[in-house]
Amino acid sequence: MRVVAVAGAKGGVGKTAAAVNLAVIASAAGYRTLLWDLDPQGAATHCYRARAKVKGGASRLLGGKRDLQTYVRSTDHLRLDLLPADPSFRVVDTILSARRWPDRVIRKLLRSLDGSYDVVVLDCAPGLGVVTESILAASDVVVAPIIPAPLAVRSLDQLDEFVAEHRSGVPVVAFLSMLDERKVLHRQVLTQVRGDRRFALAAVPVSSAVERMGMEQVPAVVASPRNLAATAYRRLWAEVEERLGLERPAVTVVDLDIPEDGSPEVVDDAVAPGDEGAPRAEVP
Ligand SMILES: Nc1ncnc2c1ncn2[C@@H]1O[C@H](COP(=O)(O)OP(=O)(O)OP(=O)(O)O)[C@@H](O)[C@H]1O
Ligand SMILES: [Mg+2]
């Protein structure tokens, strides 16, 4: 079982959007997948049409007296389960700080699921606190969305330092999130990160297909599989899969309507990274 944490210090950068889409891509590729929504806001839970409620709340769940599997719910998607959020996750740092070995809690809980899942995706709340330490200790890779702004790119250094301090050796896969290539600054940041090996080649463009997820409660890669953001999430998953050294399971994959030749069809306003031929309006 491999654990993918979608995490970072900054809020509102696309962590949940990535977690929701990567999880369904993994399940469609044949991996038995669990998405654990660790954010009290419960945005990922909402995208999967579930109620953000866990019986007994965070203290009972983290207490570990009950098997983690008892909190798991199925989703509308084959091979994809959900561990929903709960508003009480707001005090998770306090609960963990009171434990003798806070950094071991999440890892120990996840161990009880070993054998049931191939991939676990953790949608983390923003911040680098005690809970992130515990998540790191359980994770095989950290996926970090970075919005194309100079300060945001520096927040990756912060995450790298945090990882080096608490769990050195865990790979961090950063990617540009909400990229709008009509903007000069975004293009400059894109050029800058192209030479930075910490960044995935996949960059997720700004797209209304992703925005609509909150309303339609369907992952963008399912609702709009040919959208450029959906294509970017699939490429990102391929890079994460490679970093994890995963081998595709020999099962029937779910067709997410992925174009055979890999050439995406633009069906909404998503802006293609590196789409040099497209007419471009300058947006400051
Ligand atoms: N590629 C995208 N294109 C357009 N909008 C996006 C994209 N990715 C995310 N968003 C929007 O940006 C907002 C923040 O995204 P998201 O909730 O995924 O961020 P987050 O990092 O999980 O936030 P938080 O730190 O609050 O948990 C949401 O309204 C989402 O719909
Ligand atoms: Mg989120």
Side-chain angles (χ1 to χ4, degrees):
M1 187 174 85
R2 304 300 166 89
V3 181
V4 180
V6 187
K10 281 177 77 71
V13 294
K15 294 184 294 299
T16 298
V20 162
N21 284 292
L22 292 178
V24 77
I25 291 166
S27 67
Y31 299 106
R32 295 166 301 160
T33 308
L34 174 72
L35 174 62
W36 185 358
D37 187 354
L38 281 153
D39 188 336
Q41 294 176 96
T45 304
H46 174 79
C47 284
Y48 280 106
R49 300 167 185 254
R51 199 166 146 240
K53 188 86 200 121
V54 165
K55 208 170 173 207
S59 55
R60 185 146 124 193
L61 187 148
L62 296 170
K65 295 229 162 59
R66 294 172 116 225
D67 201 323
L68 207 53
Q69 193 77 51
T70 59
Y71 302 97
V72 168
R73 297 180 207 165
S74 56
T75 68
D76 296 339
H77 309 275
L78 185 66
R79 289 185 288 267
L80 178 60
D81 286 346
L82 173 76
L83 189 51
D86 186 274
S88 63
F89 282 17
R90 227 172 305 141
V91 291
V92 118
D93 267 355
T94 317
I95 297 170
L96 288 181
S97 300
R99 299 281 291 269
R100 191 155 171 228
W101 305 105
D103 51 333
R104 296 184 187 172
V105 175
I106 305 269
R107 190 175 54 192
K108 200 170 158 213
L109 285 170
L110 283 174
R111 240 182 237 150
S112 69
L113 298 176
D114 222 349
S116 304
Y117 297 100
D118 304 308
V119 172
V120 178
V121 178
L122 307 176
D123 182 26
C124 307
L128 301 175
V130 184
V131 66
T132 317
E133 280 176 43
S134 195
I135 286 164
L136 259 188
S139 300
D140 297 295
V141 67
V142 178
V143 174
I146 305 289
I147 52 167
L151 274 178
V153 175
R154 274 172 54 192
S155 78
L156 178 59
D157 299 335
Q158 227 185 327
L159 177 65
D160 278 340
E161 277 166 30
F162 187 83
V163 172
E165 191 181 329
H166 297 283
R167 186 130 184 262
S168 132
V170 174
V172 176
V173 178
F175 70 95
L176 281 185
S177 173
M178 298 191 233
L179 178 69
D180 183 347
E181 283 207 88
R182 292 166 304 179
K183 294 185 178 170
V184 178
L185 181 69
H186 284 209
R187 294 208 299 275
Q188 284 169 345
V189 175
L190 180 64
T191 309
Q192 181 196 334
V193 308
R194 281 273 148 88
D196 188 335
R197 291 173 65 90
R198 298 174 300 174
F199 278 82
L201 295 173
V204 178
V206 68
S207 163
S208 62
V210 180
E211 279 178 304
R212 282 197 304 270
M213 286 196 325
M215 220 157 62
E216 293 173 358
Q217 296 181 283
V218 180
V221 292
V222 175
S224 314
R226 285 167 176 260
N227 175 271
L228 289 170
T231 306
Y233 283 126
R234 286 194 296 270
R235 285 188 182 143
L236 178 63
W237 170 252
E239 291 183 63
V240 172
E241 199 178 28
E242 203 184 318
R243 288 301 280 270
L244 288 171
L246 281 168
E247 270 181 37
R248 291 245 160 153
V251 294
T252 318
V253 298
V254 176
D255 184 12
L256 286 176
D257 194 21
I258 301 165
E260 284 296 306
D261 60 358
S263 56
E265 187 183 301
V266 186
V267 291
D268 79 351
D269 62 349
V271 184
D275 186 4
E276 301 302 333
R280 195 173 262 155
E282 289 289 322
V283 180

